[in-house]
Amino acid sequence: MKRAFERHLEETKRQVERLDQIGEALDIKLTGKKCKGMEGLIEEGKEIISEDLEANALDAGLIGAAQKVEHYEIAAYGTARAHANMLGLNKIARLLQQTLDEEGNTDKKLTQLAESIINVEAVEA
Ligand SMILES: [Fe+2]
């Protein structure tokens, strides 16, 4: 599970680079405006950590929290890609699609992780 999170952290750094590329291509500054929705999801994750949960239940909860983040990202990147397509910004749409593919793969991996080990053990505990 730790490896899955670390791998996605590396991907996330590349996704930020793609956003920088997009900003350059559009000649605009992407200043990193804070996203209230994402802040709320991170807060939910922190709540799970602060609860006195058994290790397996904690893992199950953290995977669920991480998947909420991925789904939120998929919605946001999907919208941005659709707008890029409608505006004929094909290169930008392709960059956003790469990120969307990574987010989708991460979500699937988290589902597999949850189904294969963690939730079953959490229920049995
Ligand atoms: Fe992500």
Side-chain angles (χ1 to χ4, degrees):
M1 181 163 149
K2 190 171 171 239
R3 225 179 317 123
F5 279 111
E6 283 171 353
R7 203 179 311 128
H8 193 53
L9 178 63
E10 285 306 311
E11 279 180 342
T12 302
K13 287 176 188 165
R14 285 198 300 275
Q15 292 169 0
V16 172
E17 287 170 14
R18 278 187 209 121
L19 289 174
D20 289 339
Q21 274 180 264
I22 290 168
E24 272 174 39
L26 294 174
D27 199 23
I28 55 169
K29 255 202 159 173
L30 299 174
T31 51
K33 188 179 171 204
K34 274 211 171 170
C35 173
K36 289 179 186 137
M38 192 61 86
E39 277 183 327
L41 293 175
I42 290 167
E43 206 47 52
E44 282 186 24
K46 284 182 185 166
E47 268 177 37
I48 291 167
I49 292 168
S50 72
E51 283 173 33
D52 191 23
L53 295 172
E54 184 163 327
N56 292 329
L58 176 64
D59 284 350
L62 286 178
I63 287 176
Q67 285 192 286
K68 283 188 186 178
V69 169
E70 295 310 312
H71 288 209
Y72 194 88
E73 289 175 320
I74 288 166
Y77 280 117
T79 301
R81 184 216 39 208
H83 289 172
N85 274 331
M86 285 190 286
L87 294 168
L89 301 168
N90 298 331
K91 190 183 163 222
I92 289 170
R94 271 199 302 278
L95 287 170
L96 293 167
Q97 185 60 54
Q98 283 175 33
T99 294
L100 266 171
D101 290 343
E102 289 170 358
E103 304 293 16
N105 286 335
T106 298
D107 183 47
K108 280 193 203 102
K109 278 182 208 150
L110 288 168
T111 296
Q112 284 168 1
L113 204 57
E115 286 176 351
S116 66
I117 43 168
I118 295 161
N119 284 340
V120 173
E121 291 175 12
V123 168
E124 285 172 352

